Every structure is written in C-alpha cells, then in structure tokens.
C-alpha cells in the first residue's frame, strides 16, 4: 500500500455500492484525516454505468471493465459488492492474487467458499475483511474475533434477517396473516420479489456459518444443519404464545456448545418476553453472545440497508489502512468443537398446535402418543370453533427432537386430525 495515499476500487454499483459512494462524497475528508493520508475512491466498475443511483459520482471513475480495478496497480483495496457466487468469487480471488486487499459483504460467497478464500488471502499476504456480511451495520465480527477473544463462547444466538423479523413483528402486533404481511413488506421494499431466501431461513443460515467459524473455530456447511423458515407459523400461534405463554416469536440462528457437541440450527423460536432478543423488532437485527468470562453480550442495530451496510464496508477499508499487516486469525486456530450434534439429538421444550375434530377420546389418544415417545406434557389448552373442530395447544417439557418428530408423525396420521400439526421450539 502506498505511503502517500490509499486508492480503493469498487466492483458492484448497486444499492450498497451507491451507499459507499455517498459516504465518500460526504465524509472523504474525515476518512483521510483519520488515516493521515488521502483515501480515494479510484474506480467503480459495473456492467450498468448509465442508470441513476441517486448519488453524485465523477463519471471518469466509472468503468464497465472489471479489470480496470483488478489489474490497476494504483488500487490497494478492492470492495466486492457483486453478490452471489460467480463472477464474485473469480473477482475476489483475482484481486487477492494481484496483491490487493479485499472487502466484501457477500455472505453467500463466504459461507460457501470459506476455506479457499482464506487460504488465498493468506498465501498472498493480503487482508480479507467481511464485517458487512453479518449484521449489516452492526459491528459483530471484529468484536467476536478480537474484543471478546479472551472468551470461549458457549452460545451464539442471532436475529439476522430483517425481512423475517419484520413479518413476525407485524403478525404479533396486528394479528395479520403471513401472506398479507409479506405483501406489505414487498411494497415497502423490506422483502424481495422472490423472498424465499429470507423467509425460508437460508440468509440466516449463511450468516450463522460465518459466526460459528469465528466463534468456535468450526466450519459447518449449510447442508450439515437444520434450516427452517417462518412460512408455517400462524397469527393464532403467535397470539396464544404472546398472551398466554408470554413468549415472542423470532427466527433464530443458534449455535451452542453442549456436552454432546455443537448444536447449530435455524428455525422459528418462541423466546420469553423478558429476554433481550424479544425486544428486537421490525427490520432490526441482533446477535446475542455468551462467553465463559464476559457472560451475555448483545449487539443490536440495522442488519441491512444501503447506508448501514456501506458503513461497515468502509469501516473495513479503514481498518486495513490502520492495520495492513495485522495477523487475522478468523476465529480460534483450532476447533473448539468435538462433534456436530444431530438435529434429532437436540433437546428442547416444544409448542404443538394440533387441529382436530371435537370428538371424545381424541385428546387422550394424542397424549398417549406423546407418552409412548417419552414426551412429558407441561400444559394443554383447547380452543373450540363453530365448525366442530378444536385446536389443541400443548407445551411440552424438555424432550428429544427425534422423539417429538416421531410423535407428530403418528398424531398427523389420526383420522380426526385434518391438517399437519405445527411445531415451534421454545428457548428458555
């Protein structure tokens, strides 16, 4: 890196890229003073350099040729904001092989190709920074990897998708149906036209992979753990949990150590209303960490969005300028995990919602199935309707996941049960 100035090349002039440009427009003087030398946005590459992004930009730095960034000897740091796997991976690897530091917000790429990316960075003695990939503008990865590194982590719990959290918040506050809130979220720009990635938990899973590697030193690909979205949860489930059980509904990414191994999973979860995570609403995100010495720590803020994410991207650039030769460990050098626990071996409390015909003996049959599968019942509630149906709501004591799944399969086979039962795990 030049001793006289720092030059940055940006690949991807989309929403977040425009945010990066806006930060340089407004705060370049401040950034340069912090670094003690000029910090310049030297080149911006994108296939489309004609569309208005709503920010002022010097037209001379725009290019449609990515090699004007990757092969430019004057550029010290490359920001990759293309997203997805390819061509982003090719761009990142080529930048590092050309001796350039790389900053990325691409959680999909990082979660899928972790080892290759880190190995190439190490081989070429360059920094690879990706604070914006998890939690948007929330400082999470650096505190996890550095400020809290005196700790062995016992658990990491995250609300890491603003779309899902917005939907669950609105369903709780207004009693609206999932489909209606999703349409509203799409109109407001909180949800994509195809929201599958967010509402089915895949976005949260990719972020959890990064957190698990930094927290526990263990890389766990997504196909190795349970991922479940929020599409099955109903307003009735949320209302009953809120008013009767004093729980809030959240889509959680969970990674925690147990005596049997590491539990890693993503799914809707009922959490007590007095838990810190229960207060995280709308499009906000939060990461809740438990260290063996520091205890619980929660990091909270905007988990996505143009300016919040751009803030983290530029922050990574400055950290590289300040600490170009800093050794980055990317989590514990040795894995702190002896094994990955099967989802079937997870032990949890459960909320079961079962719609049945209102006939004698049904409840006794259901509780008998639970007993046969070693599931103890904490409470039972019944809500009848005018259509000769009853909703049976059961909260269990702690039980084995494999056993609860077997029990639900048997319950759903009953003639009196007209639709699949709903299961939501409870975090105490």
């Amino acid at each position: 890196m030049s001793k006289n100035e720092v030059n940055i090349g940006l690949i991807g002039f989309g929403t977040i890229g425009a945010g990066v440009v806006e930060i340089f427009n407004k705060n370049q003087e401040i950034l340069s003073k912090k670094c003690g030398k000029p910090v310049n946005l030297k080149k911006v590459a994108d296939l489309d350099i004609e569309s208005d992004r709503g920010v002022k930009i010097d037209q001379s730095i725009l290019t449609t040729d990515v090699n004007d960034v990757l092969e430019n000897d004057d550029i010290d740091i490359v920001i990759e904001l293309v997203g997805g796997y390819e061509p982003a991976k090719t761009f990142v690897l080529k930048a590092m092989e050309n001796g350039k530091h790389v900053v990325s917000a691409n959680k999909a790429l990082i979660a899928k190709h972790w080892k290759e990316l880190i190995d190439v960075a190490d081989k070429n003695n360059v920094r690879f920074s990706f604070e914006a990939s998890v939690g948007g503008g929330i400082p999470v990865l650096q505190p996890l990897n550095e400020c809290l590194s005196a700790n062995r982590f016992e658990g990491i719990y995250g609300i890491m998708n603003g779309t899902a959290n917005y939907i669950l918040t609105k369903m709780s506050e207004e009693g609206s149906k999932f489909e209606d809130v999703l349409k509203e979220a799409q109109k407001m720009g909180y949800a994509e036209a195809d929201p599958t990635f967010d509402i089915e938990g895949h976005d949260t899973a990719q972020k959890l992979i990064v957190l698990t590697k930094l927290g526990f030193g263990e890389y766990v690909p997504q196909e190795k753990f349970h991922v479940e979205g929020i599409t099955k949860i109903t307003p009735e489930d949320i209302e009953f949990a809120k008013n009767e059980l004093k729980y809030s509904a959240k889509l959680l990414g969970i990674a925690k150590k147990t005596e049997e191994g590491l539990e890693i999973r993503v799914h809707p979860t009922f959490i007590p209303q007095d838990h810190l995570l229960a207060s995280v609403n709308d499009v906000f995100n939060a990461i809740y960490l438990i260290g063996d010495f520091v205890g619980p720590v929660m990091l909270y803020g905007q988990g996505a969005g143009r300016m919040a994410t751009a803030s983290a991207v530029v922050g990574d650039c400055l950290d590289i300028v300040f600490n170009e030769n800093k050794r980055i460990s990317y989590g514990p050098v040795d894995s702190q995990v002896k094994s990955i626990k099967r989802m079937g071996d997870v032990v949890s409390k459960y909320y079961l919602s079962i719609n049945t015909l209102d006939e004698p003996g049904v409840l006794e049959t259901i509780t008998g199935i639970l007993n046969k599968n070693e599931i103890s019942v904490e409470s039972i509630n019944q809500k009848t309707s005018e259509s000769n149906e009853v909703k049976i709501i059961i909260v269990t004591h702690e039980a084995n996941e494999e056993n609860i799944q077997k029990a639900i399969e048997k319950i759903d086979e009953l003639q009196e049960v007209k639709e699949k039962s709903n299961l939501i795990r409870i975090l105490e």
Side-chain angles (χ1 to χ4, degrees), residues 166-185:
Y166 176 84
I167 291 172
L168 293 176
T169 300
K170 289 299 179 183
M171 290 177 69
S172 176
E173 292 178 349
E174 301 172 2
S176 304
K177 292 182 179 179
F178 172 85
E179 296 81 3
D180 295 335
V181 181
L182 175 58
K183 290 179 182 177
E184 177 188 338

Side-chain angles (χ1 to χ4, degrees), residues 345-365:
D345 294 329
V346 167
V347 174
S348 174
K349 289 182 64 172
Y350 296 92
Y351 167 100
L352 300 178
S353 175
I354 308 165
N355 289 317
T356 78
L357 296 178
D358 190 7
E359 295 180 356
V362 176
L363 179 58
E364 183 179 356
T365 301

Side-chain angles (χ1 to χ4, degrees), residues 15-16 107 161-164 166-167 178-179 181-199 203 283 304-306:
T15 301
I16 310 305
K107 70 261 181 185
N161 185 270
T163 299
Y166 176 84
I167 291 172
F178 172 85
E179 296 81 3
V181 181
L182 175 58
K183 290 179 182 177
E184 177 188 338
Q186 288 171 322
K187 288 180 180 178
M188 298 181 68
Y190 294 151
E192 301 288 345
D194 180 1
T196 304
F197 198 68
D198 296 314
I199 63 177
D203 176 74
V283 295
R306 171 167 147 171

Side-chain angles (χ1 to χ4, degrees), residues 118 214 284 388 416:
I118 302 304
L214 292 182
F284 283 85
N388 193 38
E416 296 85 356

Side-chain angles (χ1 to χ4, degrees), residues 83-95:
Y85 302 120
E86 285 292 358
K89 179 185 172 186
T90 298
F91 295 161
V92 168
L93 294 178
K94 188 172 182 179

Side-chain angles (χ1 to χ4, degrees), residues 391-418:
K391 181 185 286 289
I392 299 174
I393 298 173
I394 297 174
V395 175
T396 75
H397 289 291
E398 286 193 339
N400 179 276
E401 175 83 17
E402 189 168 6
N403 290 350
I404 199 81
Q405 294 293 349
K406 289 179 180 179
I408 290 173
E409 184 178 351
K410 291 295 183 183
I411 289 169
D412 287 347
E413 290 175 354
L414 298 174
Q415 290 184 350
E416 296 85 356
V417 176
K418 298 304 180 184

Side-chain angles (χ1 to χ4, degrees), residues 221-329:
Q222 185 173 333
E223 58 268 21
K224 297 293 186 181
F225 61 94
H226 180 79
V227 179
E228 178 184 336
I230 63 172
T231 55
K232 297 177 184 177
I233 196 166
T234 69
E236 293 78 16
D237 293 326
I238 293 175
E239 180 182 12
F240 185 86
K242 175 183 175 182
N243 296 326
E244 303 295 332
L245 304 175
K246 307 304 178 186
Y247 289 133
S248 295
K250 301 295 178 185
L251 178 65
L252 284 191
I254 299 171
K256 70 173 185 177
K257 284 200 294 189
T258 69
E259 292 183 0
E260 298 82 19
L262 180 75
E263 289 183 10
I264 175 168
R265 44 197 168 103
V266 174
H267 51 68
T269 311
F270 283 148
I271 60 177
Q273 291 174 357
D274 59 358
H275 194 288
L276 281 174
L277 284 171
S279 65
V280 180
N281 293 317
D282 295 312
V283 295
F284 283 85
N285 284 194
I287 314 297
Y288 186 86
L289 311 168
I290 302 175
D292 57 353
F293 289 108
V294 74
V297 174
M298 190 170 88
L299 305 164
Y300 166 86
Q302 294 188 54
R306 171 167 147 171
M307 297 316 303
T309 308
S311 170
V313 168
V314 176
D316 268 348
C317 292
L318 295 195
D319 183 60
I320 291 172
V321 176
F322 295 145
N323 305 285
E324 183 181 6
N325 297 315
K326 180 172 68 174
R327 181 180 180 274
I328 302 297
S329 63

